[in-house]
């Protein structure tokens, strides 16, 4: 039976990403990307060096006691520390699970540390769910570790062993150790007089989520209190437009962006008054209309990653078109601009794994140009070629473009 038919959908997605990146299922070892002196220097300078003794004491000892290995990677998937008994370390060495090796999915195929990095969430991989055959005798559980100040990804904590290692208690133990490490990093910042930044310390903060959603979610933080609102369609459009205009918008500008037809000023004012009663006087300011808070938003994060040239990060953050059901002119323009910018960046990247992520999505499944670009980017022996050729043939039939 095809192994993909027996694994979870999340794992199947990872197999496709691995194949699209050119990982060979028969490759025995993961690549070494940090050698000797470079490994030592990188490890000593890494923020997780501060908490490694704690992790080794808590999880490393547990790994040694149960014939497993504990590993800590950086945000690029490079293993900085691998701990275990001498016999288990020798076994792990046979698959390249050693300090300095890189277990990013795009280099090592499906594995728990790589999946935890790709998804920025806890992950476990059991036996045959691994992409590379040499690793299929092993099982692993991993969880990300975040910077307590910025919430950026610092690395991944992993425990790897035999098939009996993956039980609910294992993942709970790995997650608890990671949270302990984050708490210790925060305590060290406090001890140095550098309190972790909190948006609420600077006043009101709002977070808007609207990618792939019919209506927006608005999370408000104020003085230690946090609450989330599911906004109506019109209120979602208003908040989205205001969040995208840091300088604010006049009533006339807002009306043009919000309504498909001409409306009276009183119509817009009535809608804004209803929104102000929902959000509070202090959050929705006027003259010009604006959100009087520190604003973060999921679509703005995608735009920022694209501006930085981080196409893979932008694609991971993109959960779908911006409020796809909205017909407000301003929302429509934003939606089209973000999707077009991201799509062109993926095409220009020439990276088959990014193209595969796009074509496997609901919005990219019928993107003929992306499918053909993906085919051109794949190596001649890629196992994805039949799948891609099949999709191109399907679109040829449906679009009437075939010979």
């Amino acid at each position: 039976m095809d192994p993909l038919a027996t694994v979870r959908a999340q794992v199947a997605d990872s197999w496709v990403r691995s194949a699209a990146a050119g990982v060979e299922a028969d490759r025995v070892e993961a690549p070494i990307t940090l050698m000797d002196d470079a490994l030592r220097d990188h490890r000593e300078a890494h923020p997780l060096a501060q908490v490694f003794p704690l992790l080794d004491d808590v999880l490393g000892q547990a790994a040694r006691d149960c014939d497993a290995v504990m590993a800590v990677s950086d945000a690029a998937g490079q293993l900085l520390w691998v701990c275990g008994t001498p016999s288990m370390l020798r076994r792990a060495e046979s698959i390249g699970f050693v300090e300095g090796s890189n277990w990013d999915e795009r280099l090592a195929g499906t594995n728990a540390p790589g999946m935890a990095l790709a998804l920025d969430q806890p992950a476990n991989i059991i036996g045959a769910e691994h992409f590379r055959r040499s690793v299929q005798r092993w099982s692993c559980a991993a969880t990300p570790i975040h910077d307590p100040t910025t919430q950026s990804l610092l690395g991944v904590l992993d425990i790897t062993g035999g098939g009996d290692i993956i039980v609910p208690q294992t993942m709970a133990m790995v997650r608890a150790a990671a949270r302990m490490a984050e708490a210790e990093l925060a305590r060290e910042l406090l001890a140095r007089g550098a309190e972790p930044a909190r948006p609420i310390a600077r006043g009101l903060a709002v977070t808007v989520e609207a990618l792939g959603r019919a209506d927006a979610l608005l999370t408000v933080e104020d003085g230690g209190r946090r609450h989330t609102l599911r906004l109506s369609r019109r209120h979602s459009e208003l908040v989205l437009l205001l969040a995208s205009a840091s300088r604010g918008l006049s009533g006339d500008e807002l009306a043009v962006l919000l309504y498909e037809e001409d409306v009276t000023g009183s119509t817009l004012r009535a809608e804004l008054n209803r929104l102000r009663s929902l959000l509070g006087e202090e959050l929705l300011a006027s003259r010009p209309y604006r959100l009087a808070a520190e604003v973060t938003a999921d679509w703005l994060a995608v735009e920022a990653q694209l501006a930085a040239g981080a196409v893979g990060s932008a694609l991971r953050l993109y959960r779908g078109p911006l409020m796809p059901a909205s017909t407000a002119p301003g929302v429509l323009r934003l939606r089209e601009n973000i999707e077009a910018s991201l799509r062109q960046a993926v095409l220009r990247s020439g990276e088959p794994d990014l193209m595969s992520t796009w074509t496997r999505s609901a919005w990219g499944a019928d993107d003929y140009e992306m499918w053909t670009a993906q085919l051109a980017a794949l190596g001649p022996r890629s196992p994805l070629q039949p799948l891609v050729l099949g999709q191109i043939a399907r679109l040829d039939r449906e679009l009437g473009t075939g010979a």
Side-chain angles (χ1 to χ4, degrees):
M1 180 182 292
D2 182 350
L4 280 178
T6 65
V7 301
R8 295 165 283 151
Q10 189 180 64
V11 176
D13 286 343
S14 176
W15 276 52
V16 173
R17 290 195 299 269
S18 302
V23 179
E24 297 178 359
D26 290 328
R27 178 169 182 164
V28 176
E29 299 180 347
I32 301 291
T33 53
L34 285 174
M35 298 292 292
D36 301 333
D37 290 347
L39 168 62
R40 184 177 61 252
D41 293 344
H42 182 59
R43 188 163 61 184
E44 290 176 355
H46 198 277
L48 290 179
Q50 304 171 56
V51 294
F52 171 71
L54 170 67
L55 292 172
D56 187 40
D57 183 51
V58 173
L59 191 62
Q61 187 56 52
R64 287 184 280 267
D65 290 343
C66 62
D67 280 337
V69 293
M70 180 196 81
V72 182
S73 86
D74 64 10
Q78 300 172 124
L79 300 189
L80 303 184
W81 294 275
V82 180
C83 311
T85 63
S87 62
M88 283 301 294
L89 291 176
R90 284 193 295 272
R91 288 184 57 199
E93 187 176 356
S94 69
I95 58 170
F97 199 76
V98 296
E99 293 173 352
S101 63
N102 195 313
W103 285 72
D104 184 294
E105 285 181 336
R106 294 166 295 182
L107 298 175
T110 301
N111 65 91
M115 184 182 286
L117 284 173
L119 303 180
D120 195 9
Q121 65 185 43
N124 61 66
I125 296 295
I126 305 170
E129 292 181 330
H130 286 94
F131 184 79
R132 288 186 296 124
R133 296 183 181 91
S134 64
V135 195
Q136 292 179 354
R137 294 168 297 161
W138 298 77
S139 295
C140 43
T143 195
I145 303 177
H146 295 94
D147 186 298
T149 302
T150 65
Q151 292 304 304
S152 60
L153 186 63
L154 291 178
V156 161
L157 178 62
D158 168 82
I159 191 163
T160 292
D164 57 352
I165 199 71
I166 301 302
V167 293
Q169 295 89 332
T170 301
M171 181 58 81
M173 182 171 58
V174 174
R175 294 181 68 176
R179 300 298 83 77
M180 288 175 63
E182 291 170 347
E184 181 63 22
L185 286 171
R187 279 193 293 271
E188 292 189 9
L189 284 169
L190 286 170
R192 296 199 302 267
E195 184 174 358
R198 295 181 176 87
I200 57 175
R202 297 189 295 274
L204 282 171
V206 298
T207 301
V208 190
E209 300 172 62
L211 288 174
R213 301 184 57 87
D215 303 311
L217 281 183
L218 179 72
T219 300
V220 181
E221 295 185 66
D222 178 16
R225 299 185 301 275
R226 177 186 177 98
H227 62 280
T228 299
L229 303 170
R230 187 183 301 275
L231 303 177
S232 68
R233 175 70 52 80
R234 185 62 81 195
H235 286 167
S236 296
E237 292 166 342
L238 277 166
V239 166
L240 189 153
L241 294 169
L242 292 172
S244 297
S246 57
R247 65 172 180 82
L249 295 166
S250 69
D252 289 342
E253 289 172 324
L254 194 50
V256 168
L257 295 171
L258 188 64
Y259 297 107
E260 297 175 79
E261 66 285 332
D262 290 338
V263 297
T264 63
S266 60
T267 300
L268 176 61
R269 285 193 297 273
E271 202 67 68
L272 286 165
N273 285 336
R274 285 191 285 271
L275 180 59
R276 183 176 284 111
S277 67
L278 179 66
L279 302 184
E281 293 284 342
E282 72 283 359
L283 184 53
L284 181 56
S286 57
R287 298 181 182 178
Y289 293 109
R290 63 195 185 280
L291 295 175
E294 180 181 342
V295 178
T296 58
D298 52 4
W299 72 93
L300 298 178
V302 171
E303 291 178 340
Q305 293 294 336
L306 286 175
V311 182
S313 296
L315 190 57
R316 283 193 293 273
L317 292 172
Y318 188 71
R319 294 192 293 270
L322 184 68
M323 285 187 61
S326 173
T327 57
V331 176
L332 180 62
R333 185 171 66 189
L334 282 170
R335 180 168 67 237
E336 292 176 345
N337 287 345
I338 294 168
E339 183 167 346
S341 297
L342 180 58
R343 180 179 179 276
Q344 285 303 312
V346 172
L347 280 170
R348 288 196 304 268
S349 75
E351 297 288 342
D353 57 328
L354 299 184
M355 297 178 190
S356 176
T357 298
W358 183 270
T359 53
R360 285 174 60 80
S361 68
W363 54 88
D366 295 334
D367 191 332
Y368 190 91
E369 183 181 5
M370 191 70 75
W371 280 112
T372 55
Q374 184 180 347
L375 180 64
L378 289 173
R381 298 176 57 191
S382 171
L384 289 187
Q385 274 209 354
L387 183 151
V388 175
L389 286 169
Q391 291 300 315
I392 292 173
R394 172 183 67 81
L395 291 171
D396 281 336
R397 291 192 301 272
E398 294 176 358
L399 302 174
T401 56

